[in-house]
Amino acid sequence: MDFDAVVLGGGIVGTSIAIHLQRRGLAVALIDRKPPGNETSLGNAGIIQREGVYPYAFPRDLAKIARYASNRATDVRFHAAAMPKLVPFLYRYWHHSRADRHAKIAKAYSTLIEHSVSEHRELIEAAGAQSLVRTQGWINAFRTSKAFEAAMAEASHWQDAYGIPFDVLADGALQAAEPSLGPALRYAIRYSSAESVSDPSGLVGAYANLFEKLGGTFFIGDASTLESGWRVTTESGVVTADQVVVALGPWANDVTTKLGYALPLEVKRGYHMHYAAKPGATLNQPVLDAEIGYVITPMVRGIRLTTGVELGLRDSPKTPVQLEAVEPFARQTFPIGERLDEAPWLGRRPCTPDMMPVIGRAPNHEKLWFAFGHAHHGLTLGPVTGRLIAELMTGEDPFVDPHPFRAERF
């Protein structure tokens, strides 16, 4: 029960870290309260967003802010009772979202994003998980020419600045690519360098199996029992280690606060539901209905409908009003049938106000490491973060400059 390193958190980030450390000769324990891939990593749209060099910003347009303030938008909702706690965080988020600041953030963030597909592919090959992967990209679709033209300008900028390729699907090309889509979606951009998976939880499970084949050990345990020295209580007993990595996503502050850190981590909540496709209907890749704010994506379980953002306290009860609001639009867009889940799934995206993850050594503990705050790109950046943390922990030259992601920036 004595290890070189303990990784707290069995999502895509923690599991990827555990693999890379185990590969480098460390004896690694991976600890979570559930089997790998059954919390935040379970519920996303399954997209590895190679194009996502600009992390999702807070709107700066006053008309859009006013629309969200009404709390009737389909893509963003908020809990009024949570606002006193969230407003300071949201102000900092708005501050960092100014165009010049956002561009500077993107320059640093792109150094992670550029390796997202290649690092996943390497682990997918090693884990034998190729059957879960689709390589044709994903579709950002629009109902109006105005919204489409604005997105085209953005995509062209990404292409010029960062070499992100895209295809334009107009004049019937969208329906040719996805024949089962209805006529409401008229224009689209396909980001062809991205990839997607048909079972995000299954992918994490495959990575966890690879970790165990490499000699690593997974434990069911409670990360909040972490004590200095590094000791963690699990169902199998107390695990000790020389180093510890906190990769707990939205629950990271439960541990870091006890250790004396005050990091600005909040959550964007979101929901999903699976549906049967009606006879003869097919969906080949994820499709974002951009002006309404939901994604439909083909999964092993069925067609997954994922919502936009719900701003609320992390542990507040489910309020899936967004799912109810967008489902009628999704039914017009694609012929979905009955619901396949007993209840909507609620997930929590861990977010920092500058939209970048915290990756690196803890400032006040020599053998404590942080890897969380990946917001909408946890699946995208899991393997990249895993390699970067492992290189830092073992004294290798890091393949990405870790400086922009250090905890000290706060």
Side-chain angles (χ1 to χ4, degrees), residues 45-51 56 134-143 148 151-152 154-155 158 165-170 172-182 184-197 282-298 304 306 333-334:
I47 307 173
I48 303 169
Q49 289 191 254
R50 172 62 186 87
E51 87 295 339
Y56 295 99
R134 297 179 293 254
T135 60
Q136 69 266 48
W138 69 279
I139 289 175
N140 190 15
F142 302 88
R143 295 164 177 260
F148 171 64
M152 275 287 296
E154 184 177 64
W158 295 352
F166 67 93
D167 305 320
V168 175
L169 302 179
L174 175 57
Q175 276 62 40
E178 292 290 352
S180 297
L181 290 180
L185 298 178
R186 300 169 56 198
Y187 318 92
I189 296 167
R190 177 166 52 201
Y191 290 108
S192 54
S193 61
E195 298 188 351
S196 64
V197 297
T282 59
L283 188 65
N284 302 308
Q285 60 211 297
V287 176
L288 168 65
D289 187 344
E291 291 170 82
I292 304 299
Y294 67 87
V295 174
I296 51 173
T297 184
R304 179 179 288 182
T306 69
T333 301
F334 182 84

Side-chain angles (χ1 to χ4, degrees), residues 242-265:
D242 184 53
Q243 302 191 78
V244 64
V245 185
V246 178
L248 292 165
W251 295 276
N253 273 358
D254 290 354
V255 170
T256 60
T257 300
K258 289 173 60 177
L259 295 171
Y261 297 93
L263 299 173
L265 189 72

Side-chain angles (χ1 to χ4, degrees), residues 8 74 102 110 202 235 252 269 296 377 385:
L8 300 177
T74 50
H102 197 202
S110 67
E235 291 184 355
R269 292 157 48 113
I296 51 173
H377 289 152
T385 303

Side-chain angles (χ1 to χ4, degrees), residues 10 13 26 64 92 94 135 209 212 223 256 285 293 331 368 380:
V13 174
L26 277 69
K64 184 175 288 188
R92 294 176 70 180
W94 174 84
T135 60
N209 290 339
E212 293 185 323
T256 60
Q285 60 211 297
R331 290 189 180 279
L368 176 67
T380 297

Side-chain angles (χ1 to χ4, degrees), residues 36 38 49 51 101 105 108 119 141 176 184 208 223-224 251 255 260 293 309 350 357 395:
N38 279 279
Q49 289 191 254
E51 87 295 339
R101 298 183 182 116
I105 287 167
E119 290 300 312
S224 68
W251 295 276
V255 170
V309 170

Side-chain angles (χ1 to χ4, degrees), residues 1 31-34 218-222 225 232-239:
M1 304 293 284
I31 299 176
D32 204 327
R33 61 185 178 184
K34 294 182 180 179
F218 174 75
F219 295 93
I220 296 289
D222 183 355
T225 64
V232 185
T233 300
T234 75
E235 291 184 355
S236 302
V238 174
V239 170

Side-chain angles (χ1 to χ4, degrees), residues 119-373:
E119 290 300 312
H120 260 291
R121 283 181 177 174
E122 195 277 324
L123 291 189
I124 287 165
E125 182 73 24
Q130 296 92 333
S131 64
L132 298 177
V133 182
R134 297 179 293 254
T135 60
Q136 69 266 48
W138 69 279
I139 289 175
N140 190 15
F142 302 88
R143 295 164 177 260
T144 66
S145 59
K146 181 180 180 180
F148 171 64
E149 289 165 4
M152 275 287 296
E154 184 177 64
S156 297
H157 172 66
W158 295 352
Q159 185 178 61
D160 293 343
Y162 296 103
I164 303 297
F166 67 93
D167 305 320
V168 175
L169 302 179
D171 300 323
L174 175 57
Q175 276 62 40
E178 292 290 352
S180 297
L181 290 180
L185 298 178
R186 300 169 56 198
Y187 318 92
I189 296 167
R190 177 166 52 201
Y191 290 108
S192 54
S193 61
E195 298 188 351
S196 64
V197 297
S198 60
D199 184 357
S201 179
L203 182 67
V204 179
Y207 288 179
N209 290 339
L210 171 62
F211 165 66
E212 293 185 323
K213 287 179 182 178
L214 292 169
T217 308
F218 174 75
F219 295 93
I220 296 289
D222 183 355
S224 68
T225 64
L226 178 69
E227 299 176 2
S228 296
W230 308 114
R231 299 164 53 87
V232 185
T233 300
T234 75
E235 291 184 355
S236 302
V238 174
V239 170
T240 62
D242 184 53
Q243 302 191 78
V244 64
V245 185
V246 178
L248 292 165
W251 295 276
N253 273 358
D254 290 354
V255 170
T256 60
T257 300
K258 289 173 60 177
L259 295 171
Y261 297 93
L263 299 173
L265 189 72
E266 294 292 348
V267 301
K268 296 179 183 177
R269 292 157 48 113
Y271 298 86
H272 83 228
M273 172 62 67
H274 291 98
Y275 301 81
K278 290 185 177 179
T282 59
L283 188 65
N284 302 308
Q285 60 211 297
V287 176
L288 168 65
D289 187 344
E291 291 170 82
I292 304 299
Y294 67 87
V295 174
I296 51 173
T297 184
M299 293 286 179
V300 169
R301 180 163 171 75
I303 303 300
R304 179 179 288 182
L305 170 59
T306 69
T307 70
V309 170
E310 180 184 74
L311 297 172
L313 302 182
R314 186 191 67 187
D315 299 325
S316 294
K318 294 179 182 179
T319 54
V321 293
Q322 278 178 300
L323 185 66
E324 303 297 337
V326 301
E327 183 180 301
F329 292 98
R331 290 189 180 279
Q332 295 170 4
T333 301
F334 182 84
I336 55 177
E338 71 275 15
R339 289 184 169 191
L340 300 178
D341 303 328
E342 291 185 5
W345 180 88
L346 167 64
R348 303 155 180 89
R349 309 172 183 98
C351 303
T352 66
D354 67 358
M355 297 161 275
M356 296 196 296
V358 179
I359 304 173
R361 188 191 303 275
N364 302 324
H365 295 79
E366 184 179 355
K367 296 186 177 181
L368 176 67
W369 302 83
F370 293 157
F372 50 80

